[in-house]
Structures are given as C-alpha cells and as structure tokens.
Amino acid sequence: MSDEIRYALAESVCVEPLVGRWLAWPHVMSPVTQSLHLLNYQITTLDSYLANPGIHETSCRNPKLLGGAFVDVPTSRLAEVRDFSAKMKDDFSDNLAFARALIAFHKRLVNEANGESLEGYYRRIPEPLRGYVELLYDYYNRPIVRPLEGLLYKSGYYKKEAQSLRLFRQETDLERPYYMSTPRLPGDDSLDWNVAFDDPKIDELFRLEQEPKSFAEIRSLLDSPTSQDAKLRAILRESDGAIRAPWSSDRIRIRYFGHACVLVESGGVSILVDPLIAPRPERHDVERFSFGDLPERIDYVLITHGHHDHFVIETLLRLRRKIGTLVAPRNSGVFYGDLSLTLLARQLGFSNVREVDCLDEFAIPNGRIVAVPFLGEHNDLPSAKTAYFLHLGTRSLLFAADSNCLDSEIYAHLLRETGPIDTLFVGMECVGAPLNWVYGPILPNKPDHRHSQGRRSNGCNSNTALELARAVRCRQAFIYAVGREPWVRYLLALTPAEDDVYMAEIAKYIRSLNDEMGVGANLLFGRAEILI
C-alpha cells in the first residue's frame, strides 16, 4: 500500500455553489426566475452600489439592515465590481431580453385579452419567448403566460457554463455575506472550480471523506494549477477515511442539525428532512452536527418547499452521492414563479427524484411516508410545498416545517388516514419576510407597501401552533425552523435576541400546550439527539 499522504476536506471547509458568481438558490437556477431576478435585483443592486459604494459598505455593518439590498464588498474593490457588472450584463444579455419580453408581453395580454380566443396572440409573441410559452386563461378570463420550464432548461437561457464552486476555509459562522445581495468576486483566498452542478466529479470531491486521495489526485480532480497549491492545501486535512455504521436499532433516533434539518433513523433506514448542514468553522461558539455525523447512505431526503433555507443547493450537492431518493413537492406548472423542484433537482444531477402531491404516500421498510397539505409561508402565492407524515413501526411523526395552521380541519381530515401524531415538529418563525423580499424581483408589478407588509411568509404563532397540536393530538412537540443558529444568518438575516417576538410566542406556546394538553414541548437549537 502506498505511503503517500492522503487528504480529505477540512471540517471547516465551506463549498459555495455559484451561478454567475452569485450564490446558487432556486430562484437563480430556474431560467425564468433567474432572468427576472437578474434584471430586477442583481443588476439594480450592483448599479446602486456603483452609484454610492460608501452607503453600501456602511449599511452592511448595521445589524438592523441585514437582508437589505446592500453589496458587502469594500469600496477599495469598486473597479472590480464595475467590471463584474459589465461582464454580467454582457454574458446574460439574452436572459435580460427574455425577462423584459416576458413582463411586457404579459402586461399586454392583461390589458388586451378579455376572454376572446388567444390563438392570434401566438403570432405576436416576442422573439425571446417564441417556442417557450403557452397562453392560457384562468376561469375568470384573466390571461396567463405559462413558460415551458422543461424546454427552457434545454435552451441557451440555462447557462451551465456560468456554474462553479467556491471552496474556502471558514473562520467563523458570521463571516459569510448575505446570500442574495453580494456576489462572490474572484481573487480572495478561496479556490474556484469551474464545474457544472450535474458533473459527477463533484461526487468525487465530496467522497474524499470516505476515500481520501493524494494531493496530486485532488489537484487533478479540481483542474487546479500548481500556482494555486497554497490555496488547495489550506482546505485539506490528512485523513485515513471514515466509515460510519448505520443506526440499526428499531428505536427511532432523531438528530437535529439546526434550523429545519432533521435526520430520522430507525432499523437501518435513514430519512433527512430539509438538508441544511453547516461546516464546523475554525472558531465557533455553537456546537452542531455536521457532515461527518451523517450515515454513509441517506435513503430518503424530504424537501418541504423551495425556499432558499429548505432547498439548499449547497448541502444537496455535497450529499448527492449518499442520497437514495430525493422527494419533492409538485408545483402547479402554471405560474412562472412556482418553479418545479423536480426539474431543478434533475439539473443538480439527481436521477432518482420522487414528486409528491397532497396525501401521496409510499412504503418504506417498517413504515410509510405521506405528503401532507402545507398552508401559509408563501405570501399567498402558488408554490410547490408539502409537510410530511412519517410512520415508523408503532410511532408517527409530523414535520410541519413553516406551515401556518390557517385551517385546522385539514388535520382533522388527515387524522382519519393516519391516526393521532405522536411527535410534532412545528416551525414558529411567526413574523416572516414581507412579500417583496424574495418575490418582489419576479412579480410583474411592484407590490404596494400595504400588501407587502400584510402578506408575510410567516409560520405559526403561539395560537396557530396550539391549534395544530390540538388538531393532530400530539404527545410531544418540538419547535424548529426558527432561524436562530448563527450559521443561517447569511440566509435569513436574523439577529436573534432572548426577548424578541419569536421567543415570546414560543414560550407562550410551550406553556399553553402543557396547561391545556399536558404535552411537553422543547425549542431545538444548535444540535440535539432524541430517542423515541
């Protein structure tokens, strides 16, 4: 056997997937939403920075402005941002033309079409849209332009050549700039790898944990020139590999990885819900389970919805080689903002994707998984989303994610199929983002302030969480998906405090649940292991 030193990725290494140097999340992957986001957010944000970089630099240091459209790049790099912006407009000029044509044509239809046949409008479709859209009415004669998403992924609007990975050693949880507003410029201490997300070589990189390679082999895998050797060495550690035995007990072991990410294992079967897994930075105050704490195989990954903190491309790519089946909710297929998570997963290299709709179910060893209706969280816009009921042996669990219990009768109907729920996981981010935060860039008209503030993407408060617990007759409850872990700040822009509205509502829920139902509830944070 060779005495050559073998290496794996260091525990603190973060690997960011990028599209055109912006962090990859669902809205910058699907060609329609990517084009609209580029036009209405990325370019406008960069133009604002170029007009007054000092305001952006100052604003990024103000915790109250986290999540704002401020570019977290020092003014000393102004020339780089100017060059980057010009190149981006050139590289994506056809996407920009598509976005402008889509909105203009859709508005024209809304103003002109009042119920008469739409056949004549096919001849008026602008060239950037031609062959990529269907024209429809809803039942009230309101016209809809329906992009053919599958075709668009095969078009020049989907640019695999713009995809890359950025690898760097993470020093702290709070160092990463806000995901939506700050491009990752080249030239820092990170290592860049120009690779399409569906490339099998990505699996080879992340397989280093179990099968370490020599430095020369890793350099060859990443197509890294010798001039980058210092950067490459910085992200590696010596390793002999690690093989982890699966949890084989018939008892259910639940591991909480932070936010909405939960691993459920029983009898050799592993199920991971909403994967968002953080590296262990060089310096950190909050302990966590990380990639090394996962089993060698994850039989099922369950995606509840397509928000950036639940469909986390960064984590999914890192785990792709381990995953047996990825389960995703079905979208409507009509509205361009309601993108298909199944199509997206296939672009990420997942070949075994199972799409589910309301009460779809399938058997697993010693149990079953059922897709459960999921209300709220999406600002009253159509979106692919589902909660999940898990039946394992004699136990049952409900992962309600960011559901808001707007109609408890749904769960009354559900219980006729499932029986009472033993263990409830409920999200209580009860004051969510306004309508224009995530969805503003893709809407044809900017929502007015009243609508934007009134239609928030919020989960349960204490009252609706209690209604949910009553409806499912749970025996124990856990509160999760509240965004309090420091490693999700770059995604959710939250600065938690012990006396904030979330903690007040959670405390009220825990008291009410115990007083009324005699049921205990716990807020999960950081890491936790639960045996059922």
Side-chain angles (χ1 to χ4, degrees):
M1 187 173 179
S2 172
D3 293 331
E4 192 171 15
I5 297 173
R6 319 297 278 183
Y7 295 93
L9 292 177
E11 279 195 325
S12 60
V13 166
C14 179
V15 183
E16 289 186 332
L18 307 179
V19 177
R21 305 298 306 182
W22 296 85
L23 195 72
W25 58 290
H27 278 199
V28 299
M29 286 289 296
S30 182
V32 177
T33 53
Q34 193 259 344
S35 300
L36 291 166
H37 194 80
L38 175 70
L39 175 67
N40 296 322
Y41 185 91
Q42 291 174 349
I43 283 179
T44 57
T45 302
L46 289 180
D47 285 350
S48 171
Y49 174 88
L50 292 171
N52 201 329
I55 287 180
H56 282 251
E57 188 170 34
T58 301
S59 299
C60 288
R61 307 284 81 81
N62 184 347
K64 294 182 179 179
L65 298 178
L66 279 172
F70 301 108
V71 179
D72 194 1
V73 175
T75 56
S76 59
R77 303 186 73 176
L78 175 62
E80 292 178 68
V81 176
R82 183 178 293 112
D83 291 344
F84 170 76
S85 177
K87 186 176 187 304
M88 185 176 72
K89 292 173 184 177
D90 184 53
D91 290 346
F92 292 92
S93 59
D94 55 340
N95 293 79
L96 295 172
F98 179 93
R100 294 186 183 102
L102 175 62
I103 296 304
F105 184 61
H106 204 166
K107 287 183 176 180
R108 177 182 179 181
L109 275 186
V110 168
N111 289 330
E112 295 181 4
N114 296 304
E116 69 277 9
S117 172
L118 293 172
E119 287 184 19
Y121 282 97
Y122 279 91
R123 294 189 294 275
R124 306 178 210 174
I125 293 174
E127 185 59 35
L129 308 184
R130 194 169 290 276
Y132 291 117
V133 297
E134 179 184 13
L135 309 182
L136 305 168
Y137 280 120
D138 70 9
Y139 294 138
Y140 293 92
N141 292 331
R142 291 175 297 211
I144 297 169
V145 179
R146 173 183 174 256
L148 304 174
E149 194 176 6
L151 278 178
L152 284 162
Y153 273 118
K154 304 299 182 183
S155 75
Y157 297 122
Y158 181 63
K159 293 178 170 57
K160 291 170 66 170
E161 68 274 13
Q163 298 173 0
S164 64
L165 297 183
R166 173 177 176 254
L167 298 85
F168 61 98
R169 189 181 284 263
Q170 195 171 339
E171 294 296 324
T172 70
D173 279 316
L174 300 183
E175 72 184 63
R176 299 177 69 179
Y178 179 54
Y179 83 104
M180 193 156 59
S181 64
T182 301
R184 278 38 174 173
L185 298 179
D188 57 14
D189 291 333
S190 64
L191 187 72
D192 292 319
W193 185 19
N194 293 321
V195 62
F197 296 157
D198 62 354
D199 194 318
K201 288 193 293 187
I202 290 176
D203 295 334
E204 292 184 48
L205 171 69
F206 294 127
R207 197 175 285 116
L208 291 177
E209 185 178 296
Q210 290 79 38
E211 302 172 18
K213 295 182 181 294
S214 70
F215 185 82
E217 288 173 316
I218 297 172
R219 181 204 285 145
S220 176
L221 172 66
L222 299 180
D223 301 316
S224 180
T226 56
S227 60
Q228 299 292 304
D229 278 1
K231 290 183 178 182
L232 180 56
R233 289 190 185 280
I235 63 172
L236 301 178
R237 61 180 171 87
E238 294 184 22
S239 175
D240 294 324
I243 302 297
R244 292 168 187 83
W247 176 259
S248 57
S249 170
D250 287 337
R251 293 191 71 184
I252 298 172
R253 183 175 75 174
I254 298 171
R255 282 186 164 183
Y256 173 69
F257 280 72
H259 195 47
C261 180
V262 180
L263 175 68
V264 181
E265 299 173 283
S266 179
V269 176
S270 55
I271 302 165
L272 187 61
V273 184
D274 284 342
L276 193 173
I277 297 175
R280 289 190 179 91
E282 298 292 319
R283 304 189 307 277
H284 58 276
D285 298 322
V286 180
E287 282 303 325
R288 82 278 323 260
F289 288 122
S290 190
F291 294 98
D293 299 299
L294 290 165
E296 298 307 313
R297 177 177 171 82
I298 301 168
D299 296 292
Y300 302 96
V301 160
L302 310 182
I303 302 294
T304 58
H305 59 295
H307 280 168
H308 55 284
D309 54 325
H310 294 261
F311 193 106
V312 184
I313 293 171
E314 179 177 314
T315 298
L316 289 171
L317 286 178
R318 199 156 177 169
L319 300 184
R320 185 175 64 193
R321 75 196 190 282
K322 291 175 176 276
I323 295 170
T325 301
L326 189 144
V327 183
R330 179 176 293 128
N331 67 324
S332 67
V334 175
F335 300 93
Y336 63 75
D338 181 16
L339 58 93
S340 168
L341 300 182
T342 298
L343 285 175
L344 175 52
R346 288 175 180 151
Q347 305 310 311
L348 296 176
F350 287 90
S351 57
N352 190 11
V353 184
R354 183 163 194 150
E355 192 173 66
V356 293
D357 209 340
C358 176
L359 288 192
D360 281 347
E361 68 171 83
F362 55 94
I364 60 175
N366 199 33
R368 59 181 172 141
I369 296 173
V370 183
V372 174
F374 171 175
L375 300 184
E377 175 61 4
H378 289 78
N379 310 83
D380 300 323
L381 295 173
S383 292
K385 56 183 178 177
T386 186
Y388 290 98
F389 165 82
L390 272 60
H391 184 251
L392 292 167
T394 61
R395 299 291 186 178
S396 59
L397 305 90
L398 177 63
F399 289 92
D402 294 338
S403 302
N404 196 348
C405 187
L406 302 176
D407 184 357
S408 61
E409 286 300 309
I410 286 178
Y411 300 101
H413 299 321
L414 172 68
L415 259 63
R416 288 200 293 270
E417 301 297 320
T418 65
I421 306 295
D422 294 316
T423 304
L424 170 65
F425 286 78
V426 58
M428 291 188 67
E429 191 183 335
C430 54
V431 183
L435 170 62
N436 65 351
W437 189 54
V438 169
Y439 295 107
I442 68 171
L443 295 176
N445 296 308
K446 183 178 179 180
D448 65 38
H449 181 74
R450 180 171 60 91
H451 291 160
S452 186
Q453 294 299 317
R455 289 167 56 187
R456 288 180 172 268
S457 56
N458 48 320
C460 286
N461 60 21
S462 58
N463 293 328
T464 53
L466 184 61
E467 280 192 44
L468 175 56
R470 287 190 198 115
V472 301
R473 305 204 293 273
C474 65
R475 300 171 188 171
Q476 62 178 339
F478 296 96
I479 301 104
Y480 75 148
V482 190
R484 302 187 74 82
E485 286 83 11
W487 55 85
V488 298
R489 192 180 77 161
Y490 82 103
L491 287 173
L492 297 179
L494 296 175
T495 304
E498 288 306 310
D499 60 349
D500 62 27
V501 64
Y502 302 105
M503 294 303 288
E505 288 295 306
I506 289 167
K508 182 180 176 183
Y509 169 62
I510 291 173
R511 289 194 304 271
S512 300
L513 193 61
N514 184 66
D515 292 346
E516 179 178 317
M517 299 175 60
V519 169
N522 291 285
L523 170 63
L524 298 175
F525 175 77
R527 64 176 274 173
E529 184 165 295
I530 305 155
L531 293 178
I532 298 178

